[in-house]
């Protein structure tokens, strides 16, 4: 585990310094995947169990470019549209790699792929009963988020916007509400398109940001990975600093009294 800094964060008893989590899909090549992830400074990477080769040694393997010795792998259920698919996928992941900390997502139908919350609750209950440590992707709904926390999920991950949309955080008020009422880490997951949006998510007080397409689909993924790294740091620092209050009236930065006449 990395050495903790004064502003490290913790999930399921694991401590991390980077507050940026990145995915491993959608890149042009595995080489580009590895280069971009290194540039991001991320310590956790998500792995779509149903889509990434983790066991066929005759084909290119993610582990050759993003070593599990250097990163915490977070298996996820990308592409699962039912609770049964999601639970089966993560049980297989645990059998294959021994992973117990997982990311659960159960998606609704295209074109929006919005979180299917009924399926999410069902899958979360089964996985928690099996002893998994569940980080859960969910709707930007404070009531649903709190219920998932009370069930025992170790992190709540409301969407900023639909997966791969690049629309940023479209409902900041509910994201802030989820964070203010949570006793476990809250991460914005999905929808981030550029660095300013990642910074904004962190300015809301979120513990971390998870993204994939924003880096993988950039014209220069490595440069965008660097931008996201700094954006998350800047957003976190701004949150800790406490922004100035908003006011429709002007307030001159220089005193209005004692002017030279």
């Amino acid at each position: 585990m990395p050495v903790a800094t004064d502003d490290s964060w913790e999930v399921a008893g694991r401590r991390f310094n980077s507050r940026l989590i990145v995915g491993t899909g959608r890149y042009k090549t595995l080489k580009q995947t590895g280069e971009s992830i290194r540039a991001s400074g991320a310590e956790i990477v998500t792995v779509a169990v149903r889509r990434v080769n983790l066991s066929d040694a005759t084909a290119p393997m993610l582990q050759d470019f993003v070593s599990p010795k250097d990163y915490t792998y977070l298996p996820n259920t990308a592409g699962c549209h039912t609770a049964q698919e999601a639970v089966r996928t993560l049980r297989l992941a645990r059998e294959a790699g021994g992973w117990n900390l997982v990311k659960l997502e159960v998606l609704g139908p295209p074109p929006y792929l919005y979180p299917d919350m009924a399926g999410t609750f069902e899958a979360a209950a089964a996985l928690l009963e099996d002893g998994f440590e569940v980080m859960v992707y969910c709707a930007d709904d404070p009531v649903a988020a709190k219920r998932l926390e009370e069930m025992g999920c170790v992190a709540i991950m409301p969407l900023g916007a639909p997966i791969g949309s690049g629309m940023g955080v479209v409902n900041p008020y509910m994201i802030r509400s989820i964070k203010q009422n949570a006793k476990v880490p809250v991460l914005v997951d999905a929808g981030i398109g550029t660095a300013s949006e990642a910074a904004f998510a962190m300015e809301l007080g979120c513990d971390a940001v998870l993204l994939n397409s924003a880096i993988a689909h950039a014209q220069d993924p490595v440069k965008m990975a660097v931008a996201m790294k700094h954006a998350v740091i800047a957003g976190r620092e701004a949150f800790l600093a406490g922004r100035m209050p908003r006011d429709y009236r002007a307030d001159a930065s220089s005193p209005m009294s004692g002017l030279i006449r």
Side-chain angles (χ1 to χ4, degrees):
M1 297 298 293
V3 177
T5 65
D6 289 342
D7 191 41
S8 59
W9 68 290
E10 184 176 309
V11 59
R14 300 162 175 83
R15 188 159 290 278
F16 301 96
N17 293 321
S18 174
R19 292 175 180 269
L20 176 62
I21 300 174
V22 294
T24 53
R26 301 193 171 193
Y27 290 91
K28 293 179 180 177
T29 65
L30 285 173
K31 180 175 182 291
Q32 186 184 72
T33 304
E35 291 172 347
S36 299
I37 291 172
R38 281 193 296 276
S40 76
E43 296 166 318
I44 306 175
V45 296
T46 61
V47 179
V49 179
R50 300 185 74 191
R51 295 173 176 165
V52 175
N53 174 32
L54 294 172
S55 58
D56 182 2
T58 64
M61 298 181 70
L62 176 66
Q63 298 95 310
D64 294 333
F65 298 87
V66 182
S67 172
K69 296 179 181 178
D70 300 326
Y71 301 94
T72 294
Y73 272 30
L74 183 65
N76 70 24
T77 56
C80 293
H81 293 270
T82 68
Q84 293 76 19
E85 285 179 333
V87 171
R88 182 169 61 251
T89 297
L90 291 178
R91 284 174 176 163
L92 289 172
R94 184 159 66 179
E95 289 296 321
W99 295 296
N100 205 55
L101 179 66
V102 297
K103 178 196 166 188
L104 169 65
E105 57 184 80
V106 181
L107 303 179
Y112 303 111
L113 301 177
Y114 202 76
D116 179 336
M117 293 311 299
T120 299
F121 287 126
E122 181 183 346
L127 292 168
L128 291 166
E129 186 175 355
D130 274 358
F132 283 93
E133 296 165 316
V134 180
M135 301 174 67
V136 59
Y137 174 66
C138 63
D140 50 355
D141 175 351
V143 176
K146 194 63 180 177
R147 179 179 169 191
L148 289 164
E149 177 186 336
E150 290 171 348
M151 289 172 65
C153 294
V154 299
I156 306 301
M157 308 172 74
L159 79 168
I163 293 172
S165 67
M167 292 176 63
V169 180
V170 299
N171 198 348
Y173 310 104
M174 292 299 98
I175 298 292
R176 182 183 286 120
S177 176
I178 290 170
K179 173 56 186 172
Q180 288 174 340
N181 289 285
K183 296 179 181 178
V184 297
V186 173
L187 298 77
V188 164
D189 179 7
I192 299 297
T194 192
S196 60
E197 295 161 2
F200 179 54
M202 294 303 297
E203 288 171 10
L204 294 173
C206 292
D207 295 279
V209 169
L210 193 158
L211 53 86
N212 185 178
S213 300
I215 296 176
H217 287 178
Q219 294 182 28
D220 188 330
V222 175
K223 282 192 174 183
M224 184 59 82
V226 174
M228 290 299 185
K229 172 183 177 179
H230 292 298
V232 167
I233 293 171
R236 176 65 179 172
E237 292 293 323
F239 170 73
L240 293 175
R243 65 156 291 141
M244 64 175 287
R246 289 183 170 92
D247 196 328
Y248 69 92
R249 299 166 299 181
D251 183 12
S253 57
S254 298
M256 297 302 291
S257 60
L259 300 178
I260 298 174
R261 303 294 181 183

